[in-house]
Amino acid sequence: MKLYKEKAYLYDLFIAKTKRDYATEARLIAKQLSGLKTVLELGCGTGKASLELSRLGFDVTCSDINKEILRLAKQKTTLKSQILDMRKFKLKKKVDAILSLFNTLSYNKNESELRQNLRSCYNSLNKKGMIVLGVTKPEVLLKKGRDFARLWRLNEKDLLIQIDEFKGNKLQHTFILFNLDSEKVMIDKHKTVIFQTKTIERVLKENKFKKIKIIDCGYERYFFAEK
């Protein structure tokens, strides 16, 4: 994931082009976290979701496995930050809620990693704490997902080509960045897994989560579950 690491500053430009509404997402999540205070976001990117939740009164910590993008998140939000591998982590101090949004869950390579990821979350939550998982509706992707390519103009000098390729429940994102000034090309591939709704629910239950609630908003599906 060389591009993701070396050109992390372009992440916000790309997300802005997709018109993701972080404020609306934060309000939806906040309604389900009523009475909770401390929040950890896994795979936070540059921290936009964490920032919106902090504006709603939550004490949020950003986390990511990527040091460079976490540095940018810290600069842009001034929130607490921590380098974490979502698959295997242990917090010194447990929190009230853990968030894994924007298909972060799909970076688990298989069901075994998913199980380990959710187990780490369970062990890091306070009693009656909540986990929040956000993914693109799995069944829509599996049924209607088609290979496609799109060109994004990030700014005056950076062009990004996004290529999505489906194979069963696997989805590979290829990003090709071309700088018009230097004519330098960088290629990054992200291999992800589309976990079905029933699989996510089952693995949550296997990890002793209860009171599972699903809320759909546009193309997004959110899973809320209590420890």
Side-chain angles (χ1 to χ4, degrees), residues 70-84:
L70 195 60
R71 183 183 66 80
L72 291 176
K74 192 172 183 179
Q75 288 178 347
K76 294 169 72 66
T77 68
T78 69
L79 297 175
K80 292 175 288 186
S81 63
Q82 188 173 356
I83 297 172
L84 286 179

Side-chain angles (χ1 to χ4, degrees), residues 21-220:
D21 189 346
Y22 286 97
T24 296
E25 180 180 50
R27 289 194 295 270
L28 183 152
I29 292 171
K31 288 181 181 179
Q32 305 302 318
L33 301 186
S34 178
L36 303 181
K37 183 65 176 178
T38 55
V39 177
L40 170 71
E41 185 186 4
L42 300 173
C44 69
T46 55
K48 284 196 170 185
S50 291
L51 180 60
E52 291 296 338
L53 280 167
S54 71
R55 287 171 174 166
L56 296 176
F58 294 94
D59 179 5
V60 186
T61 298
C62 300
S63 75
D64 204 289
I65 198 170
N66 183 338
K67 295 180 181 180
E68 177 60 20
I69 208 162
L70 195 60
R71 183 183 66 80
L72 291 176
K74 192 172 183 179
Q75 288 178 347
K76 294 169 72 66
T77 68
T78 69
L79 297 175
K80 292 175 288 186
S81 63
Q82 188 173 356
I83 297 172
L84 286 179
D85 181 345
M86 68 176 184
R87 299 173 186 86
K88 190 176 182 180
F89 67 92
K90 185 177 181 180
L91 301 180
K92 292 181 179 179
K93 186 176 182 180
K94 294 183 179 182
V95 294
D96 296 329
I98 295 178
L99 278 55
S100 178
L101 308 174
F102 202 14
N103 291 311
T104 296
L105 200 73
S106 67
Y107 283 88
N108 288 296
K109 297 176 183 177
N110 48 51
E111 196 173 306
S112 176
E113 286 195 358
L114 174 63
R115 188 173 294 106
Q116 186 179 37
N117 179 189
L118 299 186
R119 186 181 304 120
S120 292
C121 291
Y122 185 89
N123 292 335
S124 297
L125 283 169
N126 289 320
K127 186 177 180 180
K128 293 191 176 181
M130 185 171 287
I131 187 172
V132 183
L133 309 173
V135 298
T136 304
K137 291 178 180 176
E139 285 67 37
V140 172
L141 284 178
L142 291 169
K143 184 177 180 179
K144 298 183 179 180
R146 298 290 184 273
D147 295 354
F148 84 99
R150 183 167 182 176
L151 174 66
W152 304 89
R153 190 178 187 96
L154 302 181
N155 52 37
E156 293 183 357
K157 61 180 180 179
D158 291 303
L159 301 179
L160 184 70
I161 299 173
Q162 177 188 356
I163 303 171
D164 283 5
E165 299 171 281
F166 291 83
K167 187 175 182 180
N169 71 330
K170 303 290 195 302
L171 172 56
Q172 178 173 285
H173 306 283
T174 300
F175 296 99
I176 304 171
L177 178 67
F178 180 69
N179 184 277
L180 296 174
D181 288 345
S182 66
E183 297 187 353
K184 183 178 179 180
V185 176
M186 293 184 69
I187 301 175
D188 208 358
K189 295 182 184 293
H190 295 237
K191 295 182 178 180
T192 65
V193 177
I194 304 169
F195 294 104
Q196 294 186 54
T197 297
K198 63 181 181 181
T199 300
I200 296 173
E201 288 185 288
R202 175 170 51 77
V203 178
L204 281 168
K205 290 176 182 177
E206 288 175 359
N207 279 284
K208 301 180 181 180
F209 282 102
K210 55 188 180 181
K211 296 183 180 179
I212 299 172
K213 182 177 182 180
I214 297 175
I215 298 178
D216 289 340
C217 182
Y219 288 107
E220 299 293 311

